[in-house]
Amino acid sequence: MAKLIIPTPLRKFTNDQALIYTESGSVLEALNSLAALFPELKEHLFDDQGSLRKFIRIYVGDQDIRELNNEKTAVGSTTVVSIIPAIAGGTE
Amino acid sequence: MNAENFIAEPGLVESLRPVSISQQALHIIEQHGVEDYPYECCGFLFGAEGNVRVIQEAKPVLNKVTENRNRRFEISPKDYLAAELYAVKNDLTLLGVYHSHPDHPAVPSIHDFKQAVPFFSYIIISVSDNHVQSLRSWQLSDGYFVEEKINQ
């Protein structure tokens, strides 16, 4: 089982749970398994094409999956996967 | 909805629970905004949820934007992770983010809206001429930014 850390703003979709254990395999499999458990969370993770949303970052351990093998990055039974909302903004 | 059609007009959307901000947190936010002027500053908000959302602590964080820093801010994913961890260790809830709008009103911009996440309070301070002009708090609700009432 992979260990997924849910960011505070998305916990209302996971019944306030910060930690969710899902299937291991790849990052995509772990996230799909999470979305199957909590359907309301799905639209916050994936866009209409089924790709990861632009403003969501996924870290495996302390590495961005974009520096690894993206959604295909391997996730083992002791891997910690963090879902991170990109925080940014500014004026006009 | 008004011209900026991502901001709800008062009364049109069910109001959110009010927010109270500790004097210490308020001081840190305002000081940070003035110190980093004319650039945008940013930081995290920690506290507790109840009938009133209580912001007990504000923690400055690096604005990692290197260009156009007077108009943009961005927090690194690693700093975000550290903030979540800090909340757990200190038995606090990560309640949101503050940032400054140098020489602009304390109202969310389209850039703020595009990247906003549910649940978080977004405190914005307007800073001009090295003074804090105003401080307002916003939260995403049903796809709009709704202003949160700040209890004094």
Side-chain angles (χ1 to χ4, degrees):
Chain A
M1 302 289 267
K3 184 173 164 182
L4 267 69
I5 299 181
I6 312 298
T8 307
L10 297 184
R11 282 179 204 160
K12 70 171 176 174
F13 306 113
T14 60
N15 306 324
D16 284 330
Q17 296 173 87
L19 280 180
I20 304 288
Y21 292 87
T22 68
E23 284 175 32
S24 43
S26 69
V27 164
L28 189 62
E29 283 169 310
L31 292 177
N32 277 335
S33 138
L34 176 71
L37 283 172
F38 305 103
E40 277 185 290
L41 191 58
K42 192 174 179 178
E43 65 172 297
H44 294 279
L45 301 178
F46 299 104
D47 63 21
D48 296 342
Q49 275 75 47
S51 304
L52 258 184
R53 284 202 173 277
K54 194 175 153 197
F55 298 136
I56 291 284
R57 303 270 182 275
I58 306 293
Y59 270 55
V60 164
D62 60 357
Q63 270 190 296
D64 192 326
I65 59 165
R66 294 180 304 179
E67 296 160 6
L68 299 166
N69 203 11
N70 286 313
E71 289 97 325
K72 292 176 187 158
T73 303
V75 169
S77 58
T78 56
T79 308
V80 177
V81 179
S82 304
I83 299 168
I84 302 171
I87 307 288
T91 54
E92 301 305 326
Chain B
M1 298 297 155
N2 64 12
E4 288 130 338
N5 59 9
F6 52 88
I7 296 175
E9 280 181 22
L12 275 188
V13 176
E14 193 186 344
S15 46
L16 302 160
R17 67 188 84 183
V19 167
S20 98
I21 310 172
S22 74
Q23 283 304 311
Q24 189 194 18
L26 201 59
H27 179 71
I28 286 171
I29 295 168
E30 293 184 344
Q31 191 177 36
H32 195 191
V34 168
E35 274 174 10
D36 282 18
Y37 181 84
Y39 301 114
E40 289 205 9
C41 74
C42 50
F44 289 106
L45 305 167
F46 301 92
E49 276 285 67
N51 292 331
V52 174
R53 170 174 279 196
V54 183
I55 294 168
Q56 296 160 341
E57 205 175 315
K59 214 167 156 40
V61 69
L62 176 76
N63 176 0
K64 71 174 281 248
V65 164
T66 50
E67 285 175 16
N68 209 12
R69 282 188 74 217
N70 54 342
R71 294 287 180 91
R72 293 287 180 272
F73 84 96
E74 190 179 341
I75 294 175
S76 85
K78 284 192 178 172
D79 283 338
Y80 182 86
L81 271 183
E84 289 277 12
L85 202 62
Y86 179 85
V88 171
K89 280 187 178 162
N90 293 280
D91 201 19
L92 294 165
T93 302
L94 180 57
L95 291 173
V97 172
Y98 71 85
H99 75 281
S100 61
H101 280 180
D103 300 315
H104 281 76
V107 175
S109 71
I110 184 71
H111 308 287
D112 296 326
F113 176 69
K114 277 182 181 168
Q115 300 221 26
V117 289
F119 176 80
F120 269 3
S121 289
Y122 288 88
I123 289 181
I124 303 178
I125 51 169
S126 170
V127 186
S128 303
D129 302 323
N130 283 312
H131 289 290
V132 175
Q133 306 292 340
S134 64
L135 179 149
R136 296 169 79 176
S137 187
W138 306 82
Q139 189 183 146
L140 209 55
S141 179
D142 291 329
Y144 294 96
F145 261 127
V146 179
E147 183 162 15
E148 295 177 307
K149 182 179 180 287
I150 298 175
N151 283 353
Q152 296 300 320

